[in-house]
Amino acid sequence: MKVTGSIAEIRALSRQWHTEGERVGLVPTMGYLHEGHLSLVQRSRELADRTVVSIFVNPTQFGPGEDLDTYPRDLDRDLELCSSEQVDAVFIPSADTFYAPGHSTWVEETALSKGLCGGSRPRHFRGVTTVVTKLFNAVQPDLAVFGRKDAQQALVIQRMVRDLDIPVEIHLGDIIREADGVAMSSRNARLNEVERVRARALNHGLKAAGGLCESGERRAAVLLSAVEKALREADAEIDYVELVGLESLQPVSELTAPALLAVAVRIGATRLIDNCILRPRG
Ligand code: AMP
């Protein structure tokens, strides 16, 4: 397994694979890998001949006062996991080399990135689309795999690739959960024991809304208040709970077509997100 922080080196490796007729898959991550990340690696290995994992805690997608400095990191363990998943190369750019002094160019999606997480994290998606573009330019993959856990991010990236004619296929992997239903996240490591139990409320809330939906409920207000109730009982500080169109990410008041139910909360100092798709019955 090749491990490099050099853009020139990863690009040369990718070029070499392409000359040999191989397809290259990329799984972008911020490290502190868990089963959710590894499921994306497995997907890439099914779809491509070579798989590159990038590990980069991207400073430009964190706002002031967010958890850039305390974001969990364990590179040795990440490399062991990549190696055991038979990853071909790990790309680990350093923040200084990836963002040259005076970096002043941004890639910005201006519609889908405004609501949901974009509401409370105004520069977040600009950082994401810029870093994903840079990762694509460095690795030159044929395809990239992202998780549905970050549903808005996935949609923003699909839109960016479409709008800018970026020749990378985007594939999405399902949300991988812990045994108690909590969506796997690197940030779960920052929860203490009590907070970790409280974190179950996200999935409980989504499931409560799912249950109502199964029994025929279509009113967004009723579905949303079921989620809010579960979150309030766990004393989670709600950032948003929204039911939005799958493609538009615009709020819907009635479930007439499949829609995305998305939540973001703070539990203690840790921000957590989760989502599910609700489908109207019948
Ligand atoms: P991150 O390291 O949190 O930036 O995530 C890197 C990629 O892994 C993103 O495409 C995420 O959507 C995806 N991911 C994170 N957690 C999960 C999960 N529990 N299940 C599936 N994919 C995930």
Side-chain angles (χ1 to χ4, degrees):
M1 185 174 79
K2 176 83 183 171
V3 180
T4 179
S6 151
I7 297 171
E9 220 165 50
I10 196 71
R11 194 177 280 157
L13 194 57
S14 175
R15 286 232 175 100
Q16 183 197 317
W17 288 332
H18 281 130
T19 350
E20 289 160 7
E22 294 181 320
R23 270 163 61 82
V24 178
L26 171 67
V27 180
T29 81
M30 298 207 297
Y32 212 76
L33 302 180
H34 51 66
E35 289 294 326
H37 297 115
L38 302 184
S39 72
L40 306 182
V41 169
Q42 287 149 17
R43 183 78 181 280
S44 170
R45 291 196 66 238
E46 285 162 18
L47 294 163
D49 304 295
R50 299 286 184 170
T51 290
V52 179
V53 171
S54 62
I55 299 178
F56 182 59
V57 183
N58 173 35
T60 66
Q61 69 188 67
F62 289 79
E66 290 186 354
D67 58 349
L68 173 63
D69 296 337
T70 53
Y71 195 85
R73 294 163 213 244
D74 187 344
L75 187 55
D76 290 342
R77 186 172 159 276
D78 287 349
L79 293 178
E80 268 172 37
L81 286 168
C82 286
S83 166
S84 61
E85 292 294 330
Q86 291 165 285
V87 166
D88 296 280
V90 184
F91 178 49
I92 318 172
S94 76
D96 297 344
T97 57
F98 219 33
Y99 289 106
H103 175 99
S104 58
T105 307
W106 301 98
V107 179
E108 189 173 13
E109 192 286 328
T110 57
L112 300 171
S113 56
K114 294 303 169 202
L116 303 176
C117 287
S120 46
R121 307 183 77 192
R123 294 256 169 106
H124 172 70
F125 287 110
R126 185 185 84 161
V128 170
T129 41
T130 300
V131 81
V132 168
T133 303
K134 287 176 66 65
L135 290 167
F136 286 177
N137 285 335
V139 177
Q140 313 213 324
D142 299 279
L143 61 94
V145 192
F146 293 87
R148 289 199 169 88
K149 156 98 187 318
D150 298 83
Q152 184 179 16
Q153 167 177 284
L155 216 61
V156 166
I157 288 165
Q158 285 175 319
R159 176 65 60 88
M160 169 186 86
V161 162
R162 187 202 75 176
D163 287 353
L164 300 183
D165 312 304
I166 297 176
V168 178
E169 281 169 31
I170 304 299
H171 295 264
L172 304 184
D174 287 337
I175 302 176
I176 304 297
R177 298 179 179 280
E178 303 282 358
D180 65 355
V182 172
M184 289 195 179
S185 164
S186 308
R187 287 191 169 99
N188 290 349
R190 302 198 50 227
L191 301 168
N192 66 31
E193 230 171 284
V194 176
E195 290 169 342
R196 178 61 186 73
V197 173
R198 288 165 57 204
R200 293 177 185 164
L202 284 84
N203 184 238
H204 284 168
L206 296 176
K207 279 190 143 169
L212 286 172
C213 178
E214 288 278 302
S215 56
E217 182 57 63
R218 290 179 172 217
R219 289 167 296 176
V222 177
L223 297 165
L224 295 175
S225 63
V227 185
E228 287 161 1
K229 180 168 176 280
L231 294 172
R232 271 198 307 271
E233 279 168 9
D235 209 11
E237 187 192 322
I238 297 176
D239 179 357
Y240 63 79
V241 179
E242 286 198 50
L243 185 67
V244 295
L246 278 187
E247 307 273 304
S248 66
L249 297 186
Q250 289 301 307
V252 297
S253 56
E254 187 88 14
L255 193 67
T256 51
L260 180 76
L261 178 57
V263 303
V265 303
R266 200 170 287 278
I267 295 196
T270 308
R271 188 173 187 278
L272 298 176
I273 60 172
D274 202 348
N275 69 79
C276 69
I277 293 175
L278 293 185
R279 297 172 199 281
R281 206 187 59 148

